Amino acid sequence: MRDNRESRLLLVLLVAVAFALITVDLRGGEQSPLDGARRGAATVLGPVQNTVAGAVDPVGNAVAAVRDSGKRHDRLAALERENAELKQRLGSDDRNRSQAEELDKLLRTAAAGQYGVKGAQVIAIGAAQGFSWTITIDVGERDGIKRDMTVLNGDGLVGRVTTVGPSTSTVLLATDPDFTVGTRLEKSNELGFANGRGDSWLTVQLLNTRANVKKGDRMVTFGSSNNRPFVPGVPVGEVIQVTPYSGDLTRTVRVRPYVGFSRLDIVGVVVEGPRKDPRDMVLPDPPKKKPVPTVTVTVTPGAEDAADGQDGDGPQADGQQGDGPPDGQAAPPGPDQDQYPDQTDEQGD
């Protein structure tokens, strides 16, 4: 249509008619005269709209899914980060709790032996200079650590300091084959020397070849001059095997250390020795023996007869009187009877 005066007048007329119809429809409400026309249009155009919507909806849904996939991916990534943080926090809490327990145990051991200790954490296992059984701890010269100081934890003897740096130190473990420490047996005070073997137990050579030692006996460090390299009274381990006496100059026993060397974490370096030998005070209390339950049976007078269906004064079940002998037993000899039964009844006349 060309833009001329007639077309503009027609457009104005159509707009005016549209406004008039809208006004009439709004004022009529449910009784609007255009309601029939609206229903007719819905009847004709409804199926067409449903067909077009059915064809267009999958495309629209796909577009919406693509548009929302980025949001879902971001939300999933956020949830995964939160889950990882929670796991890390939980693991950190468990580790902190474990370290707190180890530190508390170390302090109680140090207090029992009156040792002045410097707490440290194991930061490495093994040494670069060889195949020795060593650990590296996070304290050194700046913390007052010196060579040949005793190292322990809450369970007992760990080793001794061999190398000291500004902020770290190397500790030779008691299980190393080059490790030796003087020991003393609990109660008997028998002396010996414990040596590492490179595995999970120690070999102790007792100076007294006829020492009275048995499985389960416990031993502590004997101590060194000026408490270097070992302070006295530190728990070493428990005897698990005793070799028979063979005429040698020493007697060998196998000892299981108290310390678990494969799970070392918190340790203490003894920077100040005790004022006096604590002897066996640092050893843990021996395990209590489990009591053996005992059963006591009390028999009420007359209960046995009642259980057999008998009366104490009446006849018994086999027809005997209550004051007679039990069934199958001979009557006790009377004053005029022989104390021994007559053998002629068994042998015959």
Side-chain angles (χ1 to χ4, degrees), residues 1 5-15:
M1 181 182 294
R5 183 176 181 183
E6 289 78 5
S7 61
R8 287 196 295 271
L9 289 176
L10 180 59
L11 177 62
V12 171
L13 180 61
L14 292 176
V15 170

Side-chain angles (χ1 to χ4, degrees), residues 31 34 44 53 57 67 76 80 109 117 127 135 152 181 188 196 218 259 269 292 296 331 334 344 347:
Q31 305 297 327
L34 300 178
V44 175
D57 281 348
R67 184 175 62 251
L76 180 61
E80 290 178 349
T109 298
V117 298
I135 57 174
L152 50 80
V181 59
S188 67
R218 306 184 296 177
V259 173
V269 182
V292 179
T296 303
T344 58
Q347 298 176 358

Side-chain angles (χ1 to χ4, degrees), residues 86-99:
L86 289 175
K87 288 182 178 180
Q88 183 178 3
R89 190 180 307 161
L90 179 60
S92 178
D93 292 343
D94 292 341
R95 177 174 173 79
N96 292 338
R97 189 180 301 108
S98 175
Q99 288 182 337

